[in-house]
């Protein structure tokens, strides 16, 4: 069953460029290496320029679990953390 | 530029099956007919069984505009309306 993820991330003031660089590089690696990831889009709120949403779709739970275990995902964490201005909200959704 | 859409829809009590039938049929038509739509996933909240989120990605504004003008999209509206238990929230996001 498809699993959707909406990750809402608030960046700290002045950290947009750094955050975007880390995340677009991560997205490229996800797309290149994860056939079970059907979509992985880094998007920005129109109402709050410091809020980003990562829209993700996975073929199934295995694909999502694999995503979280990749070396590049684990390596991105310490780069993303210092860019954030609040706690991430990660919402998991079940495909219908 | 990619455009993301997160449509949050609350269904009225007892209307889940009808809502899901209309939306999965709509999703199949979108996937079959809109090359500019890169993802269109009907998903359900894990915390609230009456809340659905449609996760959508379009290649650009033209693709999104086209989506809203299709006959099948227009035809779905009157079927979806009676299933809802609140006002839809549609969030538009710009790809990074």
């Amino acid at each position: 069953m498809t699993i959707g993820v909406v990750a809402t991330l608030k960046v700290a003031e002045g950290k947009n460029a750094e955050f975007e660089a880390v995340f677009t590089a991560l997205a490229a690696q996800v797309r290149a290496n994860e056939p079970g990831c059907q979509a992985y889009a880094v998007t920005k709120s129109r109402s709050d320029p410091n809020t980003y949403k990562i829209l993700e779709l996975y073929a199934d739970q295995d694909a999502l679990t694999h995503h979280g275990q990749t070396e590049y995902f684990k390596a991105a964490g310490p780069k993303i953390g210092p860019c954030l201005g609040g706690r991430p909200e990660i919402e998991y959704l079940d495909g219908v």
Side-chain angles (χ1 to χ4, degrees), chain A residues 9-23:
Chain A
L9 305 169
K10 285 205 111 177
V11 303
E13 209 57 46
K15 290 287 191 179
N16 296 64
E18 189 178 335
F19 175 89
E20 292 186 13
V22 172
F23 247 103

Side-chain angles (χ1 to χ4, degrees), chain A residues 6-88:
Chain A
V6 178
T8 303
L9 305 169
K10 285 205 111 177
V11 303
E13 209 57 46
K15 290 287 191 179
N16 296 64
E18 189 178 335
F19 175 89
E20 292 186 13
V22 172
F23 247 103
T24 51
L26 175 59
Q29 286 186 291
V30 170
R31 289 194 204 106
N33 293 293
E34 295 178 42
C37 178
Q38 299 167 338
Y40 193 93
V42 184
T43 70
K44 190 171 181 169
S45 166
R46 290 183 177 181
S47 55
D48 176 359
N50 291 334
T51 294
Y52 293 81
K53 296 202 177 190
I54 320 299
L55 308 185
E56 309 170 37
L57 290 171
Y58 297 90
D60 51 31
Q61 181 60 50
D62 283 353
L64 174 57
T65 301
H66 171 68
H67 169 72
Q69 290 171 344
T70 60
E71 287 310 312
Y72 50 82
F73 180 81
K74 292 181 188 170
K79 296 180 206 165
I80 294 164
C83 297
L84 298 182
R87 211 176 150 191

